[in-house]
Amino acid sequence: GASLENLSKRQKNCLETIKKVYEQQQSMWENKTQSVPQRIVSLTQPHIRPIVRGKAGKPIEFGAKLSVSCVDNYVFLDKISWENFNESCHLKEQVEKYKETFGYYPESVHVDKIYRTRENRNWCKERGIRISGPKLGRPPKNVSEEEKKQAHSDECFRNAIEGKFGQAKRRFSLNLVMTKLPETSITSIAITFLVVNLSKLLRQFLSLFLSLFTNNRTGELIKPLFINFDYTLNNFYVLKLIDLSENSWSKVA
């Protein structure tokens, strides 16, 4: 004689989640398997999925999976999903977003090993984009010093995106997202990267403010009443905070 009408909305959602968990467990028992699509591991957060990473001490992680790109030390959150996905399939989409934002393709793309598939290499080659990393096939016996220097430079350049993840986790609590709903969790993650970009922009403005009172040639402090506007304007242009080609101070950062 029990009725579901007496349950609250939260209790009804929890009951529906328990039913799905039971169905998944029964399916694995009957089929003699240990995995099931969209497996639920939390009653309060049924949208979270286990993601196998294979790390020492943490073979499985839980939470959102992100696809992030870094341009001029600014972070772009390209894709966020609660399901596990292959990052290499989204390289073309990320590069096309870059062209849509800046109006041209990048000169080079610095990616991890998982992105260096044959399809992605051919796609980048057709558009004149150099992709970092060694070529496919057997490595050559003799590598020139120029190629070694280029590979080292590419690897150092790619470390910027790893540093952004570390900065977001250590300083802005990216690894301590306390929200429960998927919508609020995505918003919290997006705001975290927004604050990372704002901190970078704040440092640039601070350095430009200090450059108002310094000399470009000697690097010494000059008179407080004198401001080198030409030097400051050039710094704004170099850091891509303004666009001088339009003869106006249009913000592009």
Side-chain angles (χ1 to χ4, degrees), residues 11-166:
Q11 292 173 336
K12 289 181 180 179
N13 293 335
C14 186
L15 182 60
E16 292 296 329
T17 303
I18 293 175
K19 290 181 180 179
K20 293 181 181 178
V21 172
Y22 175 78
E23 293 174 357
Q24 292 179 352
Q25 295 294 325
Q26 186 179 18
S27 175
M28 288 189 292
W29 171 262
E30 294 175 352
N31 298 324
K32 305 299 180 180
T33 61
Q34 296 183 355
S35 63
V36 65
Q38 297 181 347
R39 182 175 181 178
I40 298 175
V41 294
S42 174
L43 295 180
T44 58
Q45 295 178 285
H47 56 278
I48 292 181
R49 302 286 180 264
I51 300 177
V52 179
R53 299 299 302 275
K55 296 181 180 179
K58 293 183 179 180
I60 299 178
E61 294 181 348
F62 304 90
K65 190 170 185 179
L66 312 178
S67 180
V68 177
S69 58
C70 184
V71 180
D72 293 333
N73 287 326
Y74 286 94
V75 183
F76 293 85
L77 184 58
D78 298 311
K79 181 178 179 59
I80 178 171
S81 175
W82 300 105
E83 301 288 344
N84 194 6
F85 63 89
N86 189 354
E87 303 95 321
S88 63
C89 300
H90 301 278
L91 177 63
K92 302 176 184 178
E93 181 181 352
Q94 290 176 276
V95 175
E96 291 295 342
K97 285 184 178 179
Y98 180 95
K99 181 182 179 181
E100 182 180 353
T101 303
F102 299 97
Y104 54 88
Y105 285 115
E107 179 181 353
S108 60
V109 176
H110 305 264
V111 294
D112 201 358
K113 183 179 180 180
I114 192 173
Y115 289 91
R116 300 166 190 164
T117 61
R118 189 179 302 275
E119 181 181 356
N120 288 339
R121 289 175 182 271
N122 295 334
W123 188 86
C124 292
K125 185 177 180 180
E126 292 175 357
R127 289 155 179 79
I129 304 173
R130 183 178 63 85
I131 189 170
S132 64
K135 298 180 180 180
L136 295 177
R138 181 178 299 178
K141 296 182 179 180
N142 299 324
V143 182
S144 62
E145 292 296 330
E146 184 178 355
E147 292 179 350
K148 292 181 180 180
K149 185 177 180 180
Q150 183 66 56
H152 178 72
S153 177
D154 290 343
E155 191 64 24
C156 294
F157 193 86
R158 198 192 68 81
N159 288 337
I161 187 61
E162 301 295 341
K164 290 297 181 180
F165 276 108

